[in-house]
Amino acid sequence: VQLQASGGGLVQAGDSLKLSCAASRRTFNNYSVGWFRQAPGKEREFVAAVSFGGGRTYYADSVKGRFTISRDNAANTVYLQMNSVKPEDTAVYSCSAQLLRSSSPMVASAWGYWGQGTLVTVSS
C-alpha cells in the first residue's frame, strides 16, 4: 500500500491543523494506521494509531487530549486532528500502515509501510 501524508504547514501556538494520510489500496480498511513525527535533531516518535476497524486508538502521552486520530475507510484516508498545538509539536509527520494490526503500535519498526512526511511548524 502506498501512503501520502498532507496538510502540514505553518501555524501559531494554540491553533488547529488537520493532517491527512491517503492510501492507494481499496483494501485499506484491512490496515491499521499510525502517525509518527520527527523533529530536527531528534529521533522519530510515536504520535497516534488507529486499528484497522477503527475501534481502537492509541496516543502518545504528549498529545493525548489534544490530537484525535480517525479514519474514513470509504475515502481510504486517515486523519490526525491537531488542536491546541505547541511549538514542541514542530516536526515532520509521517503516516504508517500495517496489514490488520501492528504488533507494537508505538514502535516504528513494527510498521511495514510508510509514506512521505508533511512538515508542521508551530510558532510561539
Side-chain angles (χ1 to χ4, degrees):
V1 59
Q2 292 183 323
L3 306 171
Q4 180 64 54
S6 62
L10 174 63
V11 295
Q12 293 186 332
D15 285 351
S16 297
L17 195 65
K18 190 172 186 177
L19 305 184
S20 299
C21 175
S24 61
R25 186 163 290 183
R26 284 181 288 180
T27 56
F28 186 54
N29 59 330
N30 291 331
Y31 288 78
S32 293
V33 176
W35 283 99
F36 286 76
R37 66 186 182 186
Q38 187 166 20
K42 295 187 177 181
E43 293 187 355
R44 181 183 292 176
E45 65 172 355
F46 170 78
V47 177
V50 61
S51 62
F52 63 93
R56 291 188 177 185
T57 56
Y58 309 84
Y59 295 96
D61 288 343
S62 58
V63 306
K64 202 171 293 184
R66 298 189 297 122
F67 291 9
T68 302
I69 189 169
S70 62
R71 66 188 301 157
D72 181 348
N73 285 335
N76 287 351
T77 304
V78 169
Y79 303 100
L80 184 68
Q81 178 67 47
M82 305 167 61
N83 296 331
S84 302
V85 295
K86 304 175 182 179
E88 51 264 43
D89 294 322
T90 295
V92 173
Y93 285 71
S94 302
C95 56
S96 57
Q98 183 65 31
L99 183 62
L100 296 181
R101 58 180 59 82
S102 172
S103 59
S104 300
M106 298 183 180
V107 178
S109 61
W111 297 86
Y113 301 92
W114 291 86
Q116 290 187 330
T118 185
L119 176 62
V120 173
T121 303
V122 183
S123 63
S124 57

